[in-house]
Amino acid sequence: MADATDRPIWRKVVDFPLVAMVLSLVVLGLVLGVATAATLLLPVDQLSENAVIVINGLVVPLLAFATYKLVLRRLGEHPRDDLPMAPAIRHLVLGILGAAVLMSAIVGIAALLGGYRIAGWGGSTSVLQILFLAGVQAGFVEEVISRGIIFRYLEEFGGSWFALVLSSLIFGFLHAGNDNATLLSSVAIAMEAGVLLGGAYMLTRNLWLAIGIHFGWNVVQGYVWDVAVSGHEVDGMLDARATGDVLISGGAFGLEASVIAMVLATGAGLAVVWWAVKRGHVVRPWWMRDRSLPPLAPENTGRSVATQDPES
């Protein structure tokens, strides 16, 4: 592959981080738009609602995966694959388990403080929506967009800290249109999920851990604990109620808008970011590094070759 500085001017423009980000979003948006339109052509009268949910929840992520592998990973000054298959299972499992523990701790503290109460067993009528739409589809597609495209190219342009702050704000306020959303809920998601998921990407330099966390967070809070998923009411395994002070319970939006989640999840996110910093996974802004080298090259992160993580 030709050195980035030797490429023709049109390629330099296309590969510039912010241009590559917009181009990637357009390409993925077109593919997902076609996929969404295609689901409208499904013979709903001949399929059950559950079948439509499962089809939509699997086809859209598969198309996003194919688009990433065939097109998106080839874009930018230094093309790379943020969906390598080797660490996929391990990172997915770690992410799901970590999110399950974190969300369960949030629920437990909320219950102790009077913000969460179990009334009995639920009907589990939302299980497919939670697993396939809030879990598989949202977990995969939102991470490809938010970390695989937005974070990646913001980082290549302005460095890791710029990307972490701006991508977290974007992610939080993309949820501003959800049911029962408030300014507080958007800020809370930016703090909790934006930092935690961005930190997971910084730490592993692939998307699988973030996808696992996103999936586990939504499924455990929605199905296991019957907590509204980012404002969307669900019917999970239990029949639970948000009670007491909304700062403790999160109110109608769910525990993601609670002070408890803001403290615990943001704290977990900052710990992951700190771990990434310790591993030397902090990228300098493009104007402060050698753009002929990959962003995570030792010369571009301040690491010495001796301390470079071979798995990064």
Side-chain angles (χ1 to χ4, degrees), residues 44-172:
V44 179
D45 57 329
Q46 299 176 30
L47 295 171
S48 68
E49 180 182 353
N50 288 339
V52 173
I53 290 171
V54 173
I55 292 171
N56 190 43
L58 292 178
V59 169
V60 172
L62 285 173
L63 285 174
F65 179 80
T67 303
Y68 185 89
K69 285 291 191 178
L70 294 173
V71 181
L72 302 187
R73 71 184 181 94
R74 305 178 190 278
L75 302 178
E77 288 181 332
H78 301 282
R80 68 171 188 261
D81 187 358
D82 284 336
L83 288 172
M85 299 313 298
I89 299 300
R90 179 167 61 91
H91 286 178
L92 283 171
V93 171
L94 287 174
I96 292 169
L97 293 177
V101 170
L102 180 58
M103 178 49 67
S104 297
I106 292 168
V107 170
I109 293 173
L112 289 174
L113 296 178
Y116 173 89
R117 178 175 61 84
I118 297 175
W121 291 105
S124 293
T125 58
S126 300
V127 61
L128 292 181
Q129 291 97 320
I130 294 170
L131 285 175
F132 289 97
L133 300 183
V136 176
Q137 186 182 105
F140 186 86
V141 175
E142 289 184 15
E143 288 314 304
V144 170
I145 293 171
S146 299
R147 258 56 64 175
I149 297 176
I150 293 175
F151 189 106
R152 172 192 170 178
Y153 288 115
L154 288 179
E155 183 180 52
E156 288 190 11
F157 173 71
S160 296
W161 304 123
F162 174 79
L164 185 63
V165 171
L166 190 52
S167 69
S168 295
L169 289 172
I170 291 171
F171 188 71

Side-chain angles (χ1 to χ4, degrees), residues 191-217:
M191 291 172 57
E192 302 158 8
V195 174
L196 179 59
L197 296 169
Y201 177 72
M202 288 176 63
L203 177 64
T204 61
R205 288 299 160 180
N206 69 67
L207 294 170
W208 295 116
L209 181 62
I211 291 169
I213 293 171
H214 201 144
F215 174 91
W217 178 274

Side-chain angles (χ1 to χ4, degrees), residues 16 77 155-162 282-295 297-302:
F16 187 74
E77 288 181 332
E155 183 180 52
E156 288 190 11
F157 173 71
S160 296
W161 304 123
F162 174 79
V282 177
V283 175
R284 293 171 174 169
W286 70 272
W287 57 86
M288 294 177 60
R289 66 173 192 266
D290 184 349
R291 291 176 63 194
S292 68
L293 298 173
E299 294 88 343
N300 286 334
T301 62

